[in-house]
Amino acid sequence: MRKLSGAMLIAALLCAPAAWAQQATLRVVSAFSENSIYVKRLEAWMKTVNEEGKGVLQLNFVGGPRAIPTFESGNAVKTGVVDIALTTGAFYTNLMPEADALKLAQIPVAEQRRSGAFEVINQIWNERANMVYLGRPVEHQTFHLYLNKKIDKPDLTGLKIRVTPVYRDFFQALGAQVITTAPGEVYTALERGVVDGYGWPIGGIFDLGWHEKTKYRVDPGFYNVEVSLVMNLDAWKRLTPPQREFLNRQVLAFEAQNDFWKSDNEAEAKRQAQAGIETITFDAAAAKRYLDKANEVGWASAIKASPENARKLKAVLTK
Ligand code: 173
C-alpha cells in the first residue's frame, strides 16, 4: 500500500464500487426440503456457480420450506422477496394454474429449448407470474402412487390420498378422497393414519423417512416430474448481459447432468424393494387405462383452469 501514490489510491477507491457492481448476488430458496436429493444437487451446482462466478454472479442459498413455505415459493419469486426458487408448477398454481401443465411435457427440456417451446413457456411465465423460467434440472422421473392398502385395479374408491395439484384431479377421477399437503406434512399424515397413501416421484421417499410408513408402490409411473429454477423478472432485468449469459450457461450445464436421474430412478426402485415396499402392477389393459386417464385428466384440468395458455403449452409440449 505504501507504494501507491495518492492519485492511484483515489483512483483505486473510485473504481472499487464500479467493479463491485459487476458482481450480483441472488437469493435462492427451495420449495423442497433441505435434505432432499433435489436440494443436494442444487447446492452442489451452486457451489460450482459461485466458484466460477467470482466477480460476476453469486448465489446465496437462503433455505428450504422453513425460509419460505412450499406453497409460497411462487409468490416469493413473483414479488421479489427472493430472486430464484427451485420449485415445481404444482406449488404455485395459486399464481397460475397452468404452471402445473409442465408435468405433461412429452419432450425433453433440451428439445424444448431447440423447438421454441421454452420461449412459449417464458412468455407465459413472464406475463402471468413476473417470472423467468430458467430451466429444468430434473427430468426422466415419473410420479407414483404409494399406498398402505392393497389395490388390484386402478380404483381408489374409499382411499384417502395425500396430493398436490399434480395428482389431485387424476386420483379423484379414480375415486379417491384427496387431501392436499406440502411434502413436509406427509410423514405425520401417514403416521397418524390420516391418509392411506400419497403421490410422489419414484425417488426421494427415503429423504423424509416415508419408507417407514409405506407398504406399496403402484406401477406404472405417470407424468414427467417437473422441478425447475424460476427467477424474478425484475431481478433478471437488473442483471448485466454478461451476468445473464453466465447464469444461462450455468443452468444449461445443470440440465446437461439430467441423465443422472435415469440411474437414480433405478437405484431408488431397488432401495424401495430392499426396504420391503411391494410393487403393485396392473395388467396391460388396466395400466394403459391408468396412464391414459392421467394424461386426459391432466390436460382437461389445465385447459379448464387456463384455457388459452394450457392450449399453447399443449401445442408445444406434446408430440
Ligand atoms: O409434493 C409433491 O408431491 C409434488 O407435487 C412434487 C412435484 C415435483 C417433484 C416432487 C414432488
Side-chain angles (χ1 to χ4, degrees), residues 32 38 88 90-91 143 162 164 166-167 181 183 199-201 225-227:
F32 298 93
Y38 299 137
T88 182
F91 295 161
F143 292 102
R162 172 271 171 183
T164 65
V166 165
Y167 331 87
T181 83
W200 192 259
V225 175
E226 175 260 327
V227 176

Side-chain angles (χ1 to χ4, degrees), residues 50-64:
N50 289 342
E51 278 161 14
E52 295 178 7
K54 288 201 178 80
V56 181
L57 187 116
Q58 295 288 291
L59 299 177
N60 176 17
F61 186 55
V62 179

Side-chain angles (χ1 to χ4, degrees), residues 174-217:
L174 298 176
Q177 187 187 327
V178 297
I179 300 163
T180 301
T181 83
E185 285 144 40
V186 173
Y187 188 90
T188 314
L190 288 166
E191 193 175 36
R192 296 195 181 148
V194 174
V195 295
D196 304 306
Y198 56 94
W200 192 259
I202 183 69
I205 70 160
F206 294 89
D207 298 342
L208 293 167
W210 302 344
H211 62 291
E212 293 165 10
K213 306 281 169 198
T214 305
K215 292 203 178 109
Y216 308 102
R217 184 188 72 243

Side-chain angles (χ1 to χ4, degrees), residues 45-316:
W45 173 72
M46 284 180 40
K47 190 163 174 275
T48 313
V49 173
N50 289 342
E51 278 161 14
E52 295 178 7
K54 288 201 178 80
V56 181
L57 187 116
Q58 295 288 291
L59 299 177
N60 176 17
F61 186 55
V62 179
R66 270 179 301 201
I68 299 285
T70 299
F71 292 117
E72 286 301 315
S73 55
N75 222 12
V77 174
K78 180 186 180 181
T79 57
V81 168
V82 298
D83 300 308
I84 293 179
L86 182 78
T87 184
T88 182
F91 295 161
Y92 54 95
T93 51
N94 48 352
L95 295 185
M96 44 179 299
E98 62 270 46
D100 184 39
L102 296 178
K103 72 185 178 198
L104 303 168
Q106 291 172 337
I107 57 173
V109 68
E111 199 180 320
Q112 291 173 32
R113 289 180 180 274
R114 287 193 297 270
S115 70
F118 212 75
E119 278 157 34
V120 172
I121 295 171
N122 262 294
Q123 279 159 10
I124 298 172
W125 262 243
N126 287 184
E127 187 190 308
R128 294 277 280 156
N130 193 40
M131 279 181 192
V132 175
Y133 183 80
L134 287 177
R136 185 164 175 161
V138 177
E139 284 193 284
H140 312 303
Q141 284 196 316
T142 51
F143 292 102
H144 287 258
L145 169 62
Y146 295 87
L147 288 175
N148 281 325
K149 289 186 181 156
K150 205 162 189 169
I151 56 169
D152 54 14
K153 56 179 188 302
D155 180 358
L156 306 179
T157 309
L159 297 178
K160 285 176 290 181
I161 310 291
R162 172 271 171 183
V163 297
T164 65
V166 165
Y167 331 87
R168 189 178 48 220
D169 295 342
F170 174 40
F171 291 168
Q172 250 173 349
L174 298 176
Q177 187 187 327
V178 297
I179 300 163
T180 301
T181 83
E185 285 144 40
V186 173
Y187 188 90
T188 314
L190 288 166
E191 193 175 36
R192 296 195 181 148
V194 174
V195 295
D196 304 306
Y198 56 94
W200 192 259
I202 183 69
I205 70 160
F206 294 89
D207 298 342
L208 293 167
W210 302 344
H211 62 291
E212 293 165 10
K213 306 281 169 198
T214 305
K215 292 203 178 109
Y216 308 102
R217 184 188 72 243
V218 177
D219 281 1
F222 51 91
Y223 298 148
N224 182 350
V225 175
E226 175 260 327
V227 176
S228 302
L229 288 165
V230 290
M231 178 168 178
N232 175 273
L233 180 58
D234 308 297
W236 173 259
K237 286 180 180 162
R238 281 196 298 272
L239 296 181
T240 62
Q243 286 167 340
R244 284 182 212 160
E245 197 269 328
F246 172 78
L247 183 55
N248 264 335
R249 194 154 33 85
Q250 293 294 337
V251 172
L252 280 170
F254 201 3
E255 282 180 0
Q257 302 169 21
N258 277 352
D259 272 356
F260 162 82
W261 298 105
K262 294 180 183 168
S263 54
D264 188 64
N265 294 343
E266 275 178 36
E268 289 283 293
K270 202 166 158 194
R271 200 172 160 200
Q272 288 179 17
Q274 278 162 357
I277 297 173
E278 284 177 47
T279 312
I280 295 175
T281 49
F282 304 131
D283 62 51
K288 184 176 183 310
R289 273 206 312 280
Y290 184 72
L291 293 181
D292 287 350
K293 189 81 184 165
N295 209 42
E296 180 195 309
V297 170
W299 280 117
S301 304
I303 289 169
K304 189 168 170 221
S306 187
E308 200 185 322
N309 287 339
R311 283 199 182 92
K312 277 191 201 163
L313 290 169
K314 189 174 185 188
V316 296

